[in-house]
Amino acid sequence: MSRIAYVNGQYVPHAHAMIGIEDRGYQFADGVYEVCEVRGGRLVDERRHMARLDRSLSELRIGHPMSPAALGMVMRETIRRNRVRDGIVYLQVTRGEMKRDFPFPPEGTRPSIVVTSRSHNNARNEKAAEAGIAVVTMPDIRWQRVDIKSVALLPNVLAKQQAREQGAKEAWLVDGEGRVTEGASSNAWIVTRDGVLVTRPLQTGILPGITRSVVLDLIAREGLGFEERPFTVQEAYEAREAFVTSASQLVMPVVQIDGRPVGNGAPGLVASALRRDYHSQAEFI
Ligand code: PMP
């Protein structure tokens, strides 16, 4: 079955989808994106993702390509045309196409929008979660506005590649004080030996993950012990459990950090329970 992409007002075969070479996303990484989970053919946590998209756009002063209602329809239509039941929908908005020049293009330049969707292999994801993943730590060399979900992901690309070359699935980025900021494409969590969940606060060099926010609601609902504070790499080595969160991986147990086993080296009970219960807290509309 051929894949379909939505590009600036049209549904086109994925293989023939095109954006101009003067698009500012291509020239300057001048754009933002979102990745939403699709489950049972439905969008998960659309409202939170759209709120974050709004914020990313307004922080960069990029206009809206279309109304939120129209965008919701385009995302659903893209999911439908690609026959995705379980997977993700990806959307990217850039400042549009204009002769290459650093300052913003003139008022009225239309932002570009691309929406794609693809299926996940659920069985493979569940198997990965049952095994857990390895992470390696490395310095966080990103810019100071990582709270914006910008397509400028070169440091993340390099980190992820380094992780892969070291046999790990994810990189944990570390600030100048030896504290974990987040993963290259996920938020980072530990469970201390006392059973307290710990994750880094917003406004301290992380992306406000949507999965993170849903997990926080789940933790509050279940009355679990929780501290929102930075944690060091050393604390992570000594943790009982560790995991990462993202829309594509949900809650993914971490069983090894820098080659050392976390806890007993198997996915932890807390992480596994949060993964199991995640969708009872997520919003489907
Ligand atoms: N941090 C970074 C750097 C990411 O790229 C992502 C995933 N896009 C996340 C955290 C997790 O965010 P979310 O739960 O919204 O997917």
Side-chain angles (χ1 to χ4, degrees), residues 38-55:
V38 179
R39 191 173 170 88
R42 290 196 292 165
L43 270 171
V44 183
D45 288 313
E46 179 187 4
R47 287 200 287 195
R48 291 190 200 208
H49 282 282
M50 291 304 103
R52 184 172 64 182
L53 175 66
D54 268 4
R55 180 175 180 278

Side-chain angles (χ1 to χ4, degrees), residues 17-267:
M18 282 194 290
I19 283 281
I21 59 169
E22 298 267 44
D23 191 274
R24 293 182 63 97
Y26 181 66
Q27 294 286 356
F28 298 117
D30 189 359
V32 302
Y33 74 108
E34 279 295 329
V35 178
C36 305
E37 188 198 0
V38 179
R39 191 173 170 88
R42 290 196 292 165
L43 270 171
V44 183
D45 288 313
E46 179 187 4
R47 287 200 287 195
R48 291 190 200 208
H49 282 282
M50 291 304 103
R52 184 172 64 182
L53 175 66
D54 268 4
R55 180 175 180 278
S56 296
L57 289 171
S58 75
E59 289 294 310
L60 296 179
R61 295 196 277 147
I62 298 175
H64 281 267
M66 60 180 75
S67 70
L71 186 52
M73 277 162 56
V74 167
M75 286 195 287
R76 285 177 176 77
E77 184 62 11
T78 307
I79 292 165
R80 193 187 69 74
R81 289 192 188 219
N82 288 283
R83 297 197 176 84
V84 173
R85 286 205 57 73
D86 297 310
I88 55 124
V89 58
Y90 174 89
L91 78 88
Q92 175 168 328
V93 180
T94 75
R95 205 181 303 276
E97 198 178 330
M98 184 53 61
K99 180 169 69 76
R100 188 178 186 280
D101 193 14
F102 282 79
F104 292 175
E107 285 289 316
T109 304
R110 284 178 52 133
S112 301
I113 173 151
V114 169
V115 182
T116 58
S117 184
R118 69 179 151 83
S119 299
H120 271 168
N121 182 333
N122 259 354
R124 197 174 60 198
N125 286 356
E126 286 315 310
K127 251 182 117 178
E130 278 164 30
I133 62 165
V135 304
V136 287
T137 62
M138 61 192 75
D140 189 341
I141 59 166
R142 298 174 302 163
W143 73 326
Q144 289 175 9
R145 293 307 309 273
V146 297
D147 56 305
I148 299 169
K149 200 163 170 60
S150 144
V151 295
L153 291 170
L154 188 51
N156 310 57
V157 167
L158 296 177
K160 203 73 141 185
Q161 179 61 21
Q162 190 178 325
R164 288 292 155 89
E165 287 170 6
Q166 290 177 230
K169 188 85 196 293
E170 177 61 303
W172 271 13
L173 309 176
V174 180
D175 69 16
E177 283 143 72
R179 304 174 311 183
V180 175
T181 54
E182 61 184 332
S185 65
S186 58
N187 289 112
W189 301 70
I190 57 169
V191 181
T192 67
R193 293 230 176 126
D194 303 326
V196 178
L197 283 136
V198 182
T199 199
R200 192 170 171 110
L202 301 182
Q203 272 91 41
T204 61
I206 65 168
L207 181 80
I210 303 303
T211 320
R212 175 188 183 279
S213 72
V214 173
V215 167
L216 285 179
D217 291 348
L218 186 54
I219 287 168
R221 187 186 89 190
E222 298 298 319
L224 304 176
F226 169 67
E227 285 172 16
E228 199 172 25
R229 62 168 176 81
F231 60 86
T232 63
V233 172
Q234 193 57 40
E235 273 184 285
Y237 290 158
E238 290 161 11
R240 185 197 285 173
E241 296 185 29
F243 60 94
V244 294
T245 54
S246 76
S248 53
Q249 300 189 89
L250 305 175
V251 177
M252 180 57 73
V254 170
V255 294
Q256 204 186 79
I257 304 174
D258 293 336
R260 306 154 196 242
V262 178
N264 63 5

